[in-house]
Amino acid sequence: MDYDAMDGLEDLGPRVTVREAAKSFVDFTLTNVDLAFANSLRRIILAEVPTMAIDLVEIDSNTSVLADEFLAHRLGLVPLNSKNVDDILYTRDCDCEQYCDNCSIILTLHARCTSNEIMKVYARDLVVGSVTPNDEIGRPVISDAEGLGTVIAKLRQGQELRMRCIAKKGIAKEHAKWAPTSAVGFEYDPHNKLRHLDLWYENDPLKEWPASKNADWEDRPLEGAPFDYTAQPKEFYFNVESIGNLEPDAVIQQGIKVMQTKLAAVIQELTGDEGRGGGDEYEPRSPGAMNGVATGDPAMDGGYTTPFGNSGGASAWGGGAQTPYTMATPYGQNAGWSG
């Protein structure tokens, strides 16, 4: 994109200025929005951008010293490439009983130690064994110079691991293994001119609380200037660090896409059936409504499973479809917005 061509445009909407960009992070400023909008984008980037992660592990053989549950947890935290994740359905939106090529990706792991030395099993040993929408999605993220990836386990002579790992699409609000970012830095008003922060100090707050680098982008407050009770934050500073499953700019684009979907659902609720066109493309859905909990029909189980039960309807907050995010959750939305 030619950012210089935007300099002459009138500030009529949100404006993004990229200060620094790399393969694993992007640093940018967001202006012409209010605090609620900027913070909403931050929260969505952290918890509601869909990615791929191992959700089910079928263990055929495990003679290592690690328990099956321990290995399954480690495998779930291995980051998987999630490029074009929209090509994969949520399991709860799929017509299959538990998983299929449309809603999941199968990875196989088979390792056996035959020498006297300790053998390390790495993320590179996970092999995609199913049909995928593209050549990248579902493959382990390997960023080290040796090309090995995360250490999964260590084996002694005669020990063996043989298992099938089923990766599914999800969001970090459901489990942290689906998080697309390792951290999201967010700051506004670096000089604290709005007095939103009450800094504790012993002698000199300027020395004990040094300003961040973002302070260089704003003018310092004048000494003795009267406090403006009507002032609002105008510029917001973001630093988004990806864990590698999505590129940083893709994380932000997906976050904006999710925000559009959520706002469209709010508009639809406020306007009733007007403008829906007879469809339900903006209709929010919860996991319970997709797996038979809301209908009471176990035959409608869409494959949604949790550690709290095999019925698909149980969750950490009870056996029904109710969640702390109310009945309408972002799981399974299919708003049809184009990126």
Side-chain angles (χ1 to χ4, degrees), residues 11-302:
D11 293 339
L12 297 178
R15 184 181 179 89
V16 174
T17 302
V18 178
R19 301 190 295 181
E20 186 178 2
K23 184 178 180 180
S24 59
F25 76 94
V26 60
D27 188 298
F28 65 95
T29 63
L30 178 63
T31 56
N32 293 347
V33 298
D34 59 12
L35 177 58
F37 183 96
N39 191 49
S40 297
L41 180 61
R42 177 191 68 86
R43 290 170 62 92
I44 289 175
I45 290 175
L46 278 171
E48 299 189 51
V49 172
T51 61
M52 297 296 296
I54 294 174
D55 193 42
L56 297 176
V57 179
E58 299 174 350
I59 299 177
D60 296 328
S61 176
N62 175 22
T63 57
S64 69
V65 297
L66 301 179
D68 293 351
E69 296 82 2
F70 190 90
L71 276 175
H73 182 264
R74 290 184 63 84
L75 288 167
L77 296 177
V78 174
L80 303 179
N81 193 306
S82 301
K83 185 177 181 179
N84 297 327
V85 71
D86 290 338
D87 295 337
I88 298 289
L89 296 175
Y90 287 99
T91 301
R92 54 192 68 95
D93 286 344
C94 191
D95 295 331
C96 66
E97 293 184 0
Q98 191 173 25
Y99 58 86
C100 66
D101 291 341
N102 294 326
C103 64
S104 61
I105 296 175
I106 299 176
L107 299 95
T108 59
L109 176 62
H110 187 195
R112 180 180 178 83
C113 181
T114 57
S115 66
N116 294 326
E117 298 181 356
I118 295 177
M119 173 184 176
K120 294 182 180 180
V121 182
Y122 294 95
R124 70 170 183 180
D125 298 318
L126 288 167
V127 180
V128 176
S130 62
V131 179
T132 58
N134 56 68
D135 295 334
E136 299 182 18
I137 191 169
R139 283 160 175 74
V141 174
I142 299 176
S143 56
D144 57 297
E146 294 78 12
L148 301 175
T150 307
V151 176
I152 298 174
K154 296 180 181 180
L155 303 179
R156 296 296 297 268
Q157 186 175 17
Q159 294 180 342
E160 180 184 19
L161 291 177
R162 188 170 66 252
M163 56 191 67
R164 280 164 46 96
C165 307
I166 294 87
K168 297 185 179 183
K169 179 180 175 180
I171 61 176
K173 185 179 283 187
E174 186 176 354
H175 194 286
K177 64 186 176 184
W178 280 296
T181 60
S182 57
V184 177
F186 177 74
E187 186 183 21
Y188 66 92
D189 187 26
H191 294 294
N192 197 27
K193 293 183 290 186
L194 303 177
R195 303 294 191 270
H196 286 185
L197 294 178
D198 187 10
L199 303 177
W200 181 91
Y201 63 93
E202 293 182 346
N203 298 311
D204 188 353
L206 297 179
K207 293 182 179 179
E208 298 174 24
W209 295 91
S212 67
K213 66 176 184 179
N214 297 322
D216 298 334
W217 285 66
E218 295 188 11
D219 297 331
R220 288 185 173 275
L222 299 177
E223 189 71 24
F227 179 70
D228 186 0
Y229 290 90
T230 63
Q232 297 290 335
K234 299 178 180 179
E235 193 161 8
F236 305 91
Y237 306 94
F238 284 80
N239 190 303
V240 178
E241 298 181 11
S242 171
I243 65 172
N245 48 12
L246 286 173
E247 296 180 352
D249 60 335
V251 174
I252 299 169
Q253 291 173 8
Q254 286 286 340
I256 296 173
K257 184 176 179 180
V258 172
M259 179 179 288
Q260 289 176 326
T261 302
K262 295 168 77 71
L263 292 175
V266 172
I267 293 173
Q268 188 273 321
E269 290 293 331
L270 293 176
T271 58
D273 292 334
E274 298 179 3
R276 287 186 60 183
D280 61 346
E281 59 178 348
Y282 299 130
E283 187 70 23
R285 286 169 286 176
S286 67
M290 295 303 299
N291 57 28
V293 176
T295 62
D297 184 4
M300 295 181 63
D301 185 359

